[in-house]
Amino acid sequence: MEDQGIIHLYLKRSQQAISETKNKYGAYCRAIARNILSNLADVEECENDAYLAAWNAIPPHRPRKLSVFLGRLTRNIALDRYGYNTAKKRNREFDVILTELEECLAAPDTVETEVEAGELANAINQFLYDLDEQARNLFIRRYWHSDSIEDLSIRFNMSGSKVKSLLFRTRNKLRVHLDRERG
C-alpha cells in the first residue's frame, strides 16, 4: 500500500493503518531501534511504541514522508529507552557513536543552548547539503541510523579503515563549519 493510503487509514482511525504500517515499515523501524538498543525485547517494544505514537500523532499531523516520520518516532523512542537502560549499564557500541560526535556538538545544558538548537539544526542541514553524496550518506547512516562501521563498510563497498577515515574527515569539516557559523 502506498504511503498516502496508509496516512488516509490513520486519518479515518482505521486499525488497518497499524498493520499496513508494520507490513511496509516494520523492518525499517526495527533496524533503527536495533542500531541503538542491544536487547531484542526493547527493539520490539520501540517498534510497537512507534506505531502507537504514529496513531496518536495522525491526526492532527499529516506527515509529508511517512518513512521519515516513522524513523524519527522510532529513533526518539529508542533513544529514550537507551537513556533509561544506561542509568544502570552501558551499550558500548552506541556510546562510541555518541563519543564520535561529542567534540563537534556542545551538550545542551543551558537555556541559551536550547534556544540555539534550531539554529544548530539549520547549520547541520546546510553542512549536509553541501557534502558530496557519499560523505552525506555515510554520515547520516552512522549518526542518524547508528549503523556500525562494519555495516557501513559492506553497504558502501569500502574497507572499514576508509569508512573511519571519511567519517573522521567529515566530523572535522562539521566542527569547522559549526565554528564558522557560531562566529
Side-chain angles (χ1 to χ4, degrees), residues 6-167:
I6 296 172
I7 292 170
H8 184 68
L9 290 173
Y10 277 106
L11 293 171
K12 288 183 6 182
R13 308 310 286 165
S14 170
Q15 294 284 334
Q16 185 184 357
I18 302 294
S19 60
E20 293 294 338
T21 302
K22 185 171 187 161
N23 288 341
K24 188 166 183 181
Y25 293 110
Y28 171 69
C29 292
R30 283 188 303 277
I32 290 171
R34 189 176 44 252
N35 286 338
I36 296 171
L37 302 166
S38 55
N39 182 313
L40 184 58
D42 286 343
V43 169
E44 290 175 5
E45 188 174 334
C46 285
E47 177 190 4
N48 291 328
D49 288 350
Y51 301 146
L52 177 62
W55 180 264
N56 290 333
I58 307 171
H61 301 292
R62 186 182 183 122
R64 285 186 288 171
K65 189 151 171 101
L66 188 58
S67 62
V68 173
F69 180 74
L70 291 169
R72 174 177 272 169
L73 289 174
T74 304
R75 186 172 191 276
N76 289 341
I77 291 166
L79 288 171
D80 288 345
R81 174 56 56 130
Y82 173 79
Y84 175 80
N85 290 348
T86 56
K88 297 178 184 172
K89 56 188 173 192
R90 294 279 185 201
N91 174 344
R92 295 177 59 74
E93 176 64 24
F94 194 64
D95 285 341
V96 169
I97 292 170
L98 293 176
T99 303
E100 289 174 3
L101 280 178
E102 200 170 68
E103 295 176 13
C104 297
L105 306 172
D109 294 332
T110 66
V111 173
E112 291 81 15
T113 55
E114 289 293 327
V115 170
E116 294 171 355
E119 293 173 8
L120 177 61
N122 289 337
I124 291 172
N125 285 336
Q126 183 59 48
F127 169 77
L128 291 173
Y129 180 77
D130 292 340
L131 284 177
D132 65 85
E133 185 177 0
Q134 184 182 49
R136 179 177 47 251
N137 288 335
L138 268 169
F139 190 87
I140 290 170
R141 291 300 313 179
R142 178 68 172 163
Y143 300 115
W144 175 259
H145 295 280
S146 306
D147 286 356
S148 69
I149 298 296
E150 182 181 331
D151 290 343
L152 292 172
S153 175
I154 293 167
R155 178 182 289 266
F156 291 96
N157 194 27
M158 58 179 68
S159 70
S161 61
K162 181 165 181 162
V163 169
K164 288 178 187 177
S165 176
L166 286 171
L167 288 170

